[in-house]
Amino acid sequence: MKNLFFPLIAVLIWSINAVVSKASTTSIEPAAIAFYRWFIAFLALTPFVLLPALKQWKMLTQYWWKLLILGSLGMVLNQSLVYYAAHTVSATLIGIFTSLIPLLTVILSIFVLRVAPTVGIILGTVFSLSGLIWLIGKGEPASLLQYGLGSGEMMMFIASAAYALYGVLTKRWAIPLPNWQSLYIQIGFGVLLLLPNFIMTEDVRLTSNNISLVLFAGIPASIIAPYLWIQGVIRLGANMTSIFMNLVPVFTAIIAIAVLHEKMYSYHLIGGGIVLAGVILAQQLRIPISRQKKNPAKTD
């Protein structure tokens, strides 16, 4: 039973971080918090990981470009886009889009890992897309035809897809480095990639209004939560642990209502519920779409 607390607390931290992302829009520029987040995480890990990572120098020179791609997906695209999207979408919506990551992961696995499609993936995709259309259209799907998809929603979808691709490529490449060393190098590349945008941003000051947000993003959300999640995978298995990601929109909505006083409308409940149902279907309904026919026994 106690093993359940590892992924549960990780998901709670990530849900709080979705609210932090929204709260940061009034006190710090997206480029600044994106850079500070990973720079702080890099500094915090350096005393523990730098020397072991340097001992793997030959391996790093062999796989550096893969680590660079993973860093650009997981630390740059995913997180940066969330901070920009937070200026136009609610924390609740951020949580709902985040819950799409498991579904997008299994969809991308079909093409990248050659995973056989299942009935759950097909139904889950239809359900989740329907829920998103209802949600983004605020209960009036036809309005999307008139106004189109908002920039914030588009950025959140790309952010979720980037992290899903990050997970799929991590599994496909199976880089033979310990988890923390691999993550450390990815964060290092992420910091370097985020630096130019940070330099070009006029106001990057850390103040009493934003320092707590930056520190939460840099330590609990970037180090503690991944550690707890990895422990959950080790103790419970990847499939069981991934189910906890479905709690992100629930936790995020509750925290956003309590802290940011966001309002919950019926379209949030209906659209978010349909999205969540689709994700669960994709995870749990694993009936293959087509079964291979057995070759008939040869007769003389």
Side-chain angles (χ1 to χ4, degrees), residues 90-295:
S90 65
T92 300
L93 200 59
I94 291 174
I96 292 172
F97 269 97
T98 301
S99 72
L100 276 177
I101 292 174
L103 173 62
L104 295 173
T105 299
V106 295
I107 292 174
L108 289 172
S109 295
I110 295 174
F111 303 98
V112 180
L113 302 179
R114 305 299 181 186
V115 173
T118 64
V119 173
I121 292 175
I122 301 301
L123 290 178
T125 302
V126 173
F127 266 72
S128 292
L129 286 177
S130 301
L132 277 180
I133 291 172
W134 185 271
L135 187 68
I136 296 171
K138 298 181 178 180
E140 298 181 4
S143 66
L144 287 180
L145 297 176
Q146 182 177 358
Y147 300 107
L149 193 65
S151 60
E153 289 86 357
M154 181 64 74
M155 283 189 283
M156 277 307 308
F157 184 82
I158 296 173
S160 298
Y163 200 77
L165 182 58
Y166 170 87
V168 172
L169 290 179
T170 298
K171 186 173 183 179
R172 172 167 181 153
W173 288 338
I175 299 172
L177 280 172
N179 287 331
W180 284 111
Q181 293 179 32
S182 176
L183 182 63
Y184 178 71
I185 301 303
Q186 292 171 40
I187 291 174
F189 279 126
V191 170
L192 291 175
L193 292 171
L194 290 166
L195 184 58
N197 200 23
F198 174 79
I199 293 173
M200 290 186 292
T201 302
E202 291 185 6
D203 187 3
V204 295
R205 291 174 299 170
L206 289 174
T207 68
S208 58
N209 293 325
N210 61 37
I211 187 65
S212 60
L213 303 176
V214 171
L215 288 175
F216 184 89
I219 304 298
S222 301
I223 297 177
I224 297 175
Y227 169 78
L228 294 173
W229 188 260
I230 291 170
Q231 290 300 310
V233 172
I234 293 172
R235 297 162 186 261
L236 300 171
N239 292 333
M240 179 65 178
T241 304
S242 66
I243 295 173
F244 283 83
M245 192 62 74
N246 299 324
L247 294 173
V248 169
V250 179
F251 286 166
T252 303
I254 293 172
I255 298 167
I257 291 171
V259 177
L260 301 179
H261 307 293
E262 288 190 356
K263 293 183 178 180
M264 181 65 66
Y265 297 98
S266 60
Y267 63 80
H268 284 125
L269 298 174
I270 296 172
I274 295 173
V275 168
L276 207 55
V279 174
I280 294 172
L281 276 174
Q283 289 175 313
Q284 301 300 312
L285 190 58
R286 299 179 181 177
I287 303 171
I289 291 178
S290 60
R291 298 181 182 274
Q292 292 183 346
K293 295 181 179 181
K294 293 182 179 180
N295 293 327

